[in-house]
Amino acid sequence: DVKVTQSSRYLVKRTGEKVFLECVQDMDHENMFWYRQDPGLGLRLIYFSYDVKMKEKGDIPEGYSVSREKKERFSLILESASTNQTSMYLCASTSDRAYGYTFGSGTRLTVV
Amino acid sequence: AQSVTQPDIHITVSEGASLELRCNYSYGATPYLFWYVQSPGQGLQLLLKYFSGDTLVQGIKGFEAEFKRSQSSFNLRKPSVHWSDAAEYFCAAKGGAQKLVFGQGTRLTINP
């Protein structure tokens, strides 16, 4: 089975810190995604990537950036964390030949 | 704009009762459609998907969904729920690009 691994399940960071959320997939998928999940809002797309060094903004990119230097790794960066970025962050991947996504277990980030 | 709507934020059913979770989509053409389930503290697991063909789709854990083009709906059903079905359920759709658009989610509570 495809595995998508998010490096941290829980993180607590201070306001203004630079935060890195890491995601690694092991099935050579071309496409990777970062979502944030908030109660009553479902999952909202932050950024996605179709290929190494390629990135595109999703629906809520403000306050975030991403990096994809290797095909298997897609990092989400909070340049200066704020309390309104407290959320659950989910990474997902899929290949061009498939239709469904595989999700990681999520990182619950709290910014204090 | 492409969108997915789950009208019910929270549903409570008794164990052994039947279940139907509603999902409506708004796309220019029929998208690929998915249902995911998320247990507390976990990532998302794919229950079933619809691409084309038979409008009644069978999934894992005894779930099924029916695609109705005339109603732009893709409702999830289960004849008899179990306490382990308590979770949050997300409907999602994918158009021409690889992006998945999610509904707001429906939280399912099971009464013993």
Side-chain angles (χ1 to χ4, degrees), chain A residues 9 35 37 42 45 99 101 104, chain B residues 34 36 38 41 51 98 100:
Chain A
R9 291 298 303 272
Y35 287 85
Q37 180 182 6
L45 182 63
Y99 300 100
Y101 286 17
Chain B
F34 307 82
Y36 284 86
Q38 184 182 35
F51 300 149
Q98 288 289 342
L100 267 183

Side-chain angles (χ1 to χ4, degrees), chain A residues 9 31 33 35 37 40-43 45 48 50 59 88 90 94-96 98-101 103-105, chain B residues 9 32 34 36 38 41-46 49 51 88 90 94 97-105:
Chain A
R9 291 298 303 272
N31 311 295
F33 307 81
Y35 287 85
Q37 180 182 6
L41 298 177
L43 278 74
L45 182 63
F48 59 105
Y50 288 142
D59 300 317
M88 169 72 90
L90 289 163
T94 188
S95 78
D96 288 339
Y99 300 100
Y101 286 17
F103 282 85
S105 297
Chain B
I9 295 173
Y32 300 135
F34 307 82
Y36 284 86
Q38 184 182 35
Q42 301 298 313
L44 274 69
Q45 180 184 20
L46 181 66
K49 55 186 182 282
F51 300 149
E88 188 147 22
F90 291 94
K94 186 163 76 73
Q98 288 289 342
K99 288 195 304 179
L100 267 183
V101 175
F102 285 85
Q104 300 90 328

